[in-house]
């Protein structure tokens, strides 16, 4: 009889994103994305979508550059947290406990094999809306703010990784994530992998970093309730001068209906809808996509835009930038020059 | 430190529904709901929605009357199945193993306190589409059949129960279901409860049986990808002469966007969409609705239609039917007379 | 050879609505409906939806009570305006020219047989958005304001009339409106009629006033782009404490997807979507609905709510109010008492 | 005082499309597009969308090659038809009366300056559905067939023209069409123009033929009720192996939400939705798009696919085909070889 699945991680809790343009990034997330500020501490502003049950799902931190601060998952129970910490300590990857963060209890931090900082915590602060943000229906975390895109909840994130397979195996082994789909190139290496700890078909994804630079970030995604809401978002981004990179369209991988933009700090942000798709099978067998299949583009034939393979945050150090990359891996200043960032 | 959650039940697998009009019910599910026949055995026809990963999600069984045959959940692992069987045997509720059903391995059957037959199984047959039903995208179980309503996957079911609370506690204790919302009347009794074993906010619900008759069925629900698809379904039901009981509208409880119809055999069928709503919190605290709150009707003010409280299948025995109930608890023959069943 | 159609009226231009609660009504139209203020004069605030090409489509006028100030149609050409004025003068209905209104040139005013004031004008002021409201696409009148419901354009209005048929014949004969649908009761009288001067299936409707009081108003309707947007509007109304009278649902007559609310001044406001439905036939034969057909309720079976037949603005004089009407024809103060107006 | 608008053309009535693969094209329009066959005569099969009030909107004619047979508009009245015929006869363009076509009375035919055959008629046969296709609501032409894409009604067509401006002026002068938008290149020539005779923002469009060949066809468009329906159509096309050229996305010009495919005969077919957008202004001033503005791509940034500028039907004669064009202007046989036509 095979081993039983590890069910210790409950869900993605929040992301910390660095921005070199904190005020403009904040305006983007509040005014355009329609999120609500729910705290400030040090260089960070904490933000939430209206259906996030915890106090926040995004920690926006002023920084010299862009990229991922850390990604945090909530454990299923105090015991589950202890089990994962023990496993991580045994893996040689553990960093240690991090305390005093806004909104949740002690978090255990560790790097993945690509040096992104990941955090695991259990104790958390449930969001208590002030009177003017109390919802009409008591089974909802916060009043729906009919402002901008009006994102519902944090959905997933995507990092770049030099060695995708090593990261997949790390998260499978030590944290119990399940791999639902992956891209395997003709040379046998992996170019992308999607992992879940819930019934969503993925809670995060890692795709290949083409320049050999570790720790880079690809995008954060917020969920909307319908594909129509994604189309409305496209108009809202257009009207607000937000650079739309690609979409709306449907991914072949995971079938997500997607729309990618760059926030003013340079980080890629996605709004997405999965319809009623869930992965309910406890023994789901990973879908393997070949190099040839991926060349066909997205579900309805849209060719994958070049910058999608190259743009990440923070921007690449100069020695890693080729002429070809210049447009697509543009940092914030470059975007401004091109008039594609506000 | 509190006990850890039981994670042994993976998801709702299938329902067996009785129908006294097997041919008309079959035409409803295939032509109007857009489902696919995937097997026949004895008095049963097996049916599937295009995104169900198992061979079927609905067993339609010819019978003298309507109602629920049994409801089956898939365990998370062989070990999980054994653990639940052991717990059920200890509860005094176990019936025993049932073998030889189409599409899955041995199933352990037991009655809930209201005498509905529930089944738990692990081994299952993944659906293998014939060539003409192979999907274009390999991460999909079956080609999307653009026929009728085109339901995506089994979502949940609802039974009536004389003692709602006893059933809630039974499923919580022996199977590890988590209660997300419930209705508590002024006298302290429970009028409805919604349970989940996934990240969906409910996998089934029990609401109060007003006539004291055990084992009755309220409805089975299939998921569609958007609220727009529910509205399209309403037009399709209208054009096909299917009796629409209520909807489309949004429930206050669970916020589901719903539409209820009666299939020709008399059983209530729902198509629904939950938007991007999920219950991710491992420690979700049940939402309690009061009698007064429920009297306000549905989310946008629609008054709950009387038959929603009274119509169940099978029809009530004569001695339980009052004059007031006559219209709403109409059996199949009554529906025909009224011209609201085909 | 039959007479040729009169094509002199181009479209509905704007409505003047009276409100006894001007500040609250203004907040409703700006914050909840998402309209833009585009002028003030005297006791009136002028408002526009983002796709209205003229300066405004709603004149909100502070008054002692609620109801319709006037309804204005734009003529197709200066010559067309002169032709209609000549016809109206010959009808004995003409009042005369009204000048000095904001945003358009001289308007010829006249009462319909039910004493609603109607206006016809040609010269108009095209909306010029200030820099912050300039749209990204030059074929759009104004930037889409992602605020509240975000209504697109004025669609139609509905008045009550004691003699529906007399009003229909008046608008057909003197203004060239075409009747697309009407309700004819068993006694041969008309209970409702829908008229158009465009390819929309109606630009306004008159339904029967049950109390014999002339000049009353039923509702004004703004168009949204999709049925999903109407559902989103329902949530926004719910979250803002706006009284939802009925809907969202689909009318059998005209098949409009509708949602009715009361603005704080007591006037009924609708948001609606017609899908891609247009009346293109120049010789469309009116659809006649019988009393029995109307008793079936709306398209998907929703029973027409009683207040829909009785609530109009201004509130009825006391001598016309029966006990039965009390709830449904409630004036603003009554609404407040019932907690259904903010 | 300026001249009054000519209102003699009521709407686009039908298109005749040539196909070298009549059986496969028929299957596409019936099974995938969800249209209904409503007649056969000679080499033609007549097809209708469920909301077309006339007997048909598409005449599919077996032929040696692909392309447009003729495009037909319905006049507003018998008198209007006579006026237009007289004007056309005076223009030197008239061909003469064409009788005996299925479903409508005598049609006056004439070439436009690019040699497309255009027809004008008044008498028409209203569609009478057989019992099994009778709609549930009497204000609808035919039961909604929940099969395939399920297109609602003919919306518009697009031809290629060597001299776009000459064609625009021809239709404006002799038929009274109004120009709502056009593309004017830096050299002052016109690259595209959109004309309307209704409140739709266009009933047809002509875009520049790059190879100097007259009489070519770009696409025919059917309307769907929502953008969500267009997305559903994309999945249906994908599942049926239909070649998707581009979309779904939103045009900057006219803001139409579009999706383009090739039917098996090689003709381009579009499904589209305009939201609630209408052109109501009788004096709409044409929107002029510059060369630079068009280079920005579609509304949300999608680059216009090359074949959109080059692929037309019938395929170009050999001497007009450059190597660059080969892929994009591929005829039917070429499509088959590439596996992008069934």
């Amino acid at each position: 009889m095979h081993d039983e699945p590890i069910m210790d991680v409950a869900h993605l809790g929040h992301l910390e994103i660095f921005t070199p343009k904190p005020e403009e990034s904040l305006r983007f997330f509040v005014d355009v994305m329609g999120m609500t500020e729910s705290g400030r501490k040090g260089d960070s502003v904490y933000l939430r979508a209206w259906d996030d049950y915890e106090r926040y799902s995004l920690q926006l931190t002023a920084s010299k550059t862009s990229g991922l601060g850390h990604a945090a998952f909530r454990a299923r129970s105090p015991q589950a947290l202890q089990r994962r910490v023990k496993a991580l300590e045994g893996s040689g990857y553990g960093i240690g406990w991090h305390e005093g963060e806004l909104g949740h209890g002690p978090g255990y931090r560790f790097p993945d094999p690509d040096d992104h900082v990941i955090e695991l915590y259990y104790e958390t602060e449930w969001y208590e809306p002030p009177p003017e943000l109390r919802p009409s229906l008591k089974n909802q975390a916060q009043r729906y703010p009919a402002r901008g895109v009006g994102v519902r909840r944090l959905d997933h994130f995507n990092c770049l990784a030099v060695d995708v397979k090593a990261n997949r195996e790390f998260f499978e082994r030590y944290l119990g994530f399940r791999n639902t789909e992956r891209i395997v190139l003709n040379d046998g290496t992996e170019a992308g992998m999607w992992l879940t700890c819930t019934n969503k078909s993925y809670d995060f994804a890692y795709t290949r970093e083409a320049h050999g630079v570790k720790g880079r970030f690809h995008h954060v995604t917020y969920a909307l309730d319908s594909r129509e809401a994604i189309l409305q978002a496209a108009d809202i981004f257009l009207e607000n001068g937000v650079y739309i990179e690609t979409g709306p369209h449907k991914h072949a991988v995971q079938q997500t209906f997607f729309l990618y933009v760059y926030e003013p700090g340079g980080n890629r942000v996605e709004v997405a809808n999965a319809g009623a798709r869930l992965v309910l099978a406890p023994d789901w067998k990973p879908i393997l996509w070949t190099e040839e299949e991926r060349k066909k583009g997205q579900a309805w034939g849209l060719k994958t835009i070049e910058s999608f393979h190259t743009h990440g945050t923070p921007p690449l150090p100069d020695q890693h930038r080729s002429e070809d990359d210049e447009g697509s891996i543009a940092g914030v200043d470059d975007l401004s020059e091109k008039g594609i960032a506000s």
Side-chain angles (χ1 to χ4, degrees), chain A residues 156-160 193-195 202-207 219:
Chain A
H156 68 268
F157 69 99
N158 190 147
C159 282
L160 294 166
M193 61 92 177
W194 285 257
L195 293 179
Y202 59 117
D203 295 309
F204 70 99
Y206 277 21
T207 44
H219 68 264

Side-chain angles (χ1 to χ4, degrees), chain A residues 167-307:
Chain A
N167 282 273
R168 172 174 63 78
E169 291 176 341
F170 172 81
F171 282 103
E172 288 175 330
R173 177 166 178 189
Y174 295 109
L175 292 152
F177 281 91
R178 296 175 293 284
N179 177 228
T180 50
E181 306 199 16
R182 58 183 189 257
I183 299 169
V184 182
L185 302 184
N186 292 343
D187 65 6
T189 61
E190 296 184 15
M193 61 92 177
W194 285 257
L195 293 179
T196 185
C197 62
T198 63
N199 293 117
K200 288 165 54 220
S201 64
Y202 59 117
D203 295 309
F204 70 99
Y206 277 21
T207 44
R208 180 174 289 183
E209 200 338 285
H211 312 84
V213 179
K214 283 187 167 186
R216 297 183 80 218
F217 180 63
H218 197 264
H219 68 264
V220 56
T221 302
Y222 276 84
L224 286 172
D225 270 335
S226 65
R227 302 197 288 195
E228 176 67 15
I230 308 289
L231 302 178
Q232 294 167 336
D235 277 334
I236 294 167
F237 289 133
L238 174 69
E239 292 287 42
N240 284 277
V242 174
Y243 175 65
I244 298 175
E245 185 187 35
T246 186
H249 203 89
K250 178 177 173 167
H251 278 304
V253 177
Q254 301 287 1
Q255 300 204 18
T256 316
F257 192 70
F258 66 84
L259 173 61
Y260 294 97
V261 302
Y262 296 171
E263 58 90 23
N267 298 294
R268 185 188 280 105
V269 174
E270 182 190 24
V271 288
N273 178 265
R277 187 172 192 246
L278 293 174
V279 166
L280 297 170
D283 52 352
W284 180 268
K285 292 164 255 333
I287 306 293
L288 270 55
W289 297 89
T290 67
E291 204 166 326
E292 283 67 36
E293 287 168 338
R294 293 309 307 124
K295 281 183 182 154
K296 286 184 189 169
Q298 301 306 327
W300 301 320
L302 182 72
K303 293 303 164 197
T304 306
I305 200 165
E306 181 56 24
S307 63

Side-chain angles (χ1 to χ4, degrees), chain A residues 10 27 39 52 82 85 105 132 138 153 158 166 185 190 263 294 302 305 321 332:
Chain A
R27 294 270 55 83
D52 290 323
Q82 293 305 328
V85 168
E132 71 277 13
K138 61 202 286 190
R153 61 165 170 75
N158 190 147
L185 302 184
E190 296 184 15
E263 58 90 23
R294 293 309 307 124
L302 182 72
I305 200 165
R321 296 173 64 177
V332 171

